[in-house]
């Protein structure tokens, strides 16, 4: 080592050590301030801090400079303003950036975009005077029917883990606390308030907890929300095993645990089993709530004074709340100002939509359309003109503006192309095929060069009524996977009238396409793509943007193929639901049980082509380096999500056929190639042995599979550990 290198090494060590010491001193200083405040608080003031003081605020202590903590939904935009009650305020400035929903973000497979997404949320929450944004939602997509799948991210715990960290850091770098939810096993809305979820320890550890663990240990999330359901017989929000043993002891979570709204059911369990903050119990007290009558309200004061509960337990809850307040500068007042409705936020919304929309099918290269060769377009379907931002329940956003698909298409093609619009169906309860509307749509398609049907799911019927929910919304699940409102008949009629038809599907997940998928040349999954969604969709349809989204979930052909329904229970009986599908969620089931999906996990087409080659797999200790070359062999620039899966050839306990363990999104110009190098750490080869109650790495040979989707793995290597 040269003197220069030696000096540099010493300097780096000093920087690391002194930086670490400074961090420890800062933490020690903050903890000392917290302890000093706790000593000054009366018991009544402490208890006031551990429950709500209005619909979305917590109790403050003005005499000590401790403010109320202001929380707000939601996961893809700051909720409309309603002050301290539950009634929406009128004539206030609360129209903000409506980002694409969580599943669209996950479909980008771009963790850097997750950070940008979170930054927008944090900045706008800051501008609006919020302290905590209630997101991200990361519950595993177990069944296609879950009404909140659109808010969540993926069926795969690794993809969730990689996307959630950027989101959290993006929010919290703006001085706002993120709140990861809903912990844990909240995988259905049907009977969500009382259903008792039963699953194996292995399923819990391998499938349902990794995203939350990453949020805590990698994302350093400030707050976490307990879910409504029971878990193994005890309410999740005050579940001793989930909260005390796993979250706070095993993972070392130092932030605060808040309940979901009206999810606390027992004072003693909430006191002892890790609930730090009780929210939303006033929902059961309307129209005149008494916040002192919360489970963690006046009763706690009485119990402490009677010697039934030691005060140090309450101190610990207050300590966690104050820790979050100091971390986000709530007490010293040194807060960022935040920004609202700025161009950069809208650009982030556009980029997420552009990268998240998935091209599912493109037979005979029907897409992209060439607008210079088109004289007429028929745009068909209610979702082509339907703004979506105010639907979905607690995730509703009052958008500053929202570009619908029809508006985006009209803007892009301009006046030189004649566009005819026909709704084709009506969104009503129990709505069936409307033959007159179908006939008009088919006629429009017949007289056009191409037809674009924009259909799929919806958040509900009347978005101005919060509880008028259906399909993709809080507190409701889909009844089945069938297209509602007679859309199958509509699409078949349009296809018969014009074979040059492309179907665009809105919604939070798969829909049964079996009646028309084989006859349709082009299919796009657009999710709910946010305020810039119409522009993003149009740019993809007409080739100004090359699609790069990949499915973060498997699309089954029909509901009966889904593992939660084939192997497990969904939604269970009136009391229990048993996850007999165990670790075989999503592609883990389809691959292992040899069931062909409609579209596979990780699937997504491009307008260009990518070639994989030169796979090298090298093991160093328990780490494995995987390198390979990707070349763009087509004529357009494009991005490819290279996916790495691991298969263990022999194991003591059964394992899925393969599991996603790494990925990278690579942008390539025509003819360009890049070498991608990814490192698989020890945990990429482990599984949870619930007989031994620990993660194990069994020596043996592992296959390393690389490609553009879980079904298109063109490279195959091996490593022995």
């Amino acid at each position: 080592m040269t003197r220069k290198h030696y000096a540099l090494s010493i300097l780096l060590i000093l920087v690391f050590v002194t930086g670490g010491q400074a961090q420890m001193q800062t933490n020690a200083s903050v903890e000392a301030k917290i302890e000093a405040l706790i000593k000054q608080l009366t018991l009544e003031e402490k208890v006031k801090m551990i429950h709500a003081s209005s619909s979305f605020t917590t109790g403050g202590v003005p005499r000590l400079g401790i403010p109320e903590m202001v929380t707000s939904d939601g996961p893809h935009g700051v909720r409309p303003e309603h002050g301290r009650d539950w009634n929406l305020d009128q004539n206030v400035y609360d129209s903000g950036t409506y980002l694409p929903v969580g599943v669209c973000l996950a479909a980008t497979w771009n963790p850097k975009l997750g950070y940008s997404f979170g930054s927008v949320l944090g900045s706008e929450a800051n501008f609006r005077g919020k302290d905590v944004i209630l997101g991200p939602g990361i519950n595993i997509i177990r069944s296609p029917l879950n009404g909140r799948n659109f808010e969540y991210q993926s069926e795969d715990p690794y993809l969730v883990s990689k996307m959630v960290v950027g989101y959290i850091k993006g929010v919290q770098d703006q001085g706002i606390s993120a709140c990861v939810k809903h912990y844990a096993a909240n995988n259905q809305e049907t009977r969500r308030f009382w259903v008792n979820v039963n699953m194996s320890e292995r399923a819990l550890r391998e499938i349902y907890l990794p995203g939350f663990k990453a949020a805590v240990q990698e994302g350093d999330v400030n707050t976490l929300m307990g879910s409504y359901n029971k878990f193994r017989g005890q309410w999740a929000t005050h579940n001793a095993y989930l909260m005390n043993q796993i979250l706070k002891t095993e993972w070392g979570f130092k932030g605060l645990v808040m309940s979901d709204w009206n999810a606390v059911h027992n004072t003693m369990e909430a006191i002892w089993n890790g609930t730090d903050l009780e929210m939303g119990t006033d929902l059961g007290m309307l129209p005149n709530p008494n916040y002192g009558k919360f489970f963690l309200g006046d009763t706690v004061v009485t119990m402490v004074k009677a010697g039934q509960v030691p005060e140090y337990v309450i101190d610990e809850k207050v300590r966690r709340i104050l820790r979050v307040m100091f971390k986000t500068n709530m007490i010293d007042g040194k807060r960022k100002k935040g920004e609202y409705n700025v161009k950069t936020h809208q650009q982030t919304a556009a980029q997420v939509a552009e990268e998240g929309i998935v091209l599912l099918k493109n037979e005979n290269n029907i897409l992209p359309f060439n607008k210079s060769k088109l004289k007429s377009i028929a745009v068909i379907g209610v979702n082509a003109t339907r703004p979506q931002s105010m639907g979905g329940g607690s995730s509703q956003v009052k958008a500053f503006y929202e570009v619908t698909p029809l508006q985006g298409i009209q803007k892009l093609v301009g006046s030189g192309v004649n566009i005819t619009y026909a709704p084709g169906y009506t969104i009503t309860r129990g709505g069936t095929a409307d033959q007159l509307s179908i006939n008009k749509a088919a006629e429009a398609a017949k007289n056009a060069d191409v037809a674009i049907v924009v259909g799929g799911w919806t958040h509900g019927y009347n978005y101005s009524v919060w509880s008028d929910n259906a399909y993709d919304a809080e507190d409701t699940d889909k009844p089945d996977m069938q297209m509602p409102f007679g859309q199958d008949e509509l699409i078949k009629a349009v296809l018969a009238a014009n074979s040059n038809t492309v179907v665009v599907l809105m919604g939070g997940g798969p829909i049964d396409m079996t009646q028309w998928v084989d006859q349709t040349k082009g299919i796009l999954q657009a999710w709910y793509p946010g305020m810039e969604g119409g522009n993003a969709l149009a740019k993809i349809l007409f080739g100004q943007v090359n699609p790069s989204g990949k499915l973060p979930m498997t699309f089954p052909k029909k509901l009966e193929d889904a593992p939660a329904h084939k192997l497990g229970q969904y939604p269970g009986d009136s009391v229990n639901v048993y996850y007999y599908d165990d670790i075989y969620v999503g592609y883990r089931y389809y691959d292992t049980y040899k069931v062909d999906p409609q579209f596979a996990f990780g699937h997504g087409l491009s307008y260009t082509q990518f070639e994989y080659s030169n796979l090298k797999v090298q093991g160093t200790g328990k780490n494995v380096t995987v390198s390979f070359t990707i070349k763009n062999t087509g004529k357009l620039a494009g991005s490819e999500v290279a996916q790495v899966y691991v298969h263990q050839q022999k194991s003591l306990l059964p394992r899925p056929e393969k599991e996603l363990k790494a990925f990278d999104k690579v942008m390539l110009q025509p003819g360009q190639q890049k070498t991608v190098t990814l490192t698989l750490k020890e945990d990429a080869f482990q599984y949870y042995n619930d007989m031994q109650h620990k993660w194990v790495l069994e020596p043996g040979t592992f296959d390393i599979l690389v490609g553009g989707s879980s079904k298109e793995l063109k490279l195959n290597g091996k490593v022995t550990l």
Side-chain angles (χ1 to χ4, degrees), residues 341-359:
N341 288 326
V342 294
K343 189 66 176 178
T344 54
H345 292 181
Q346 296 155 12
Q347 289 170 342
T348 295
Q351 187 179 357
V352 173
E354 289 170 6
E355 291 197 32
I357 292 173
V358 182
L359 178 58

Side-chain angles (χ1 to χ4, degrees), residues 260-313:
D260 204 337
W261 268 236
N262 203 17
V264 173
H265 297 270
N266 182 284
T267 295
M268 287 298 281
E269 286 192 3
I271 287 173
W272 287 106
N273 295 348
T275 308
D276 301 311
L277 176 60
E278 178 188 1
M279 299 299 296
T281 305
D282 51 308
L283 283 167
M285 302 176 178
L286 297 176
N288 298 306
N290 183 341
Y291 295 96
K293 299 304 179 185
F294 273 36
F295 288 96
L296 291 180
D298 298 341
T299 300
V300 177
V301 176
T302 302
M303 296 175 81
V304 172
K305 288 183 175 179
Q308 296 173 297
V309 173
E311 193 167 348
Y312 70 77
V313 180

Side-chain angles (χ1 to χ4, degrees), residues 32-33 63 66 74 85 92 95 123 140 180 191 213 237 267 315 415 421 490 517 522 565 577 594-595 619 654 664 696:
K33 291 178 182 178
R63 74 177 185 88
I66 300 173
D85 55 27
V92 294
S95 299
S123 179
I140 289 293
V180 66
R191 304 172 192 143
K213 184 178 182 181
T237 288
T267 295
D315 289 350
S415 59
Y421 170 69
L490 170 67
V517 65
H565 302 263
V577 59
K594 312 302 180 188
V595 177
D664 191 21
V696 297

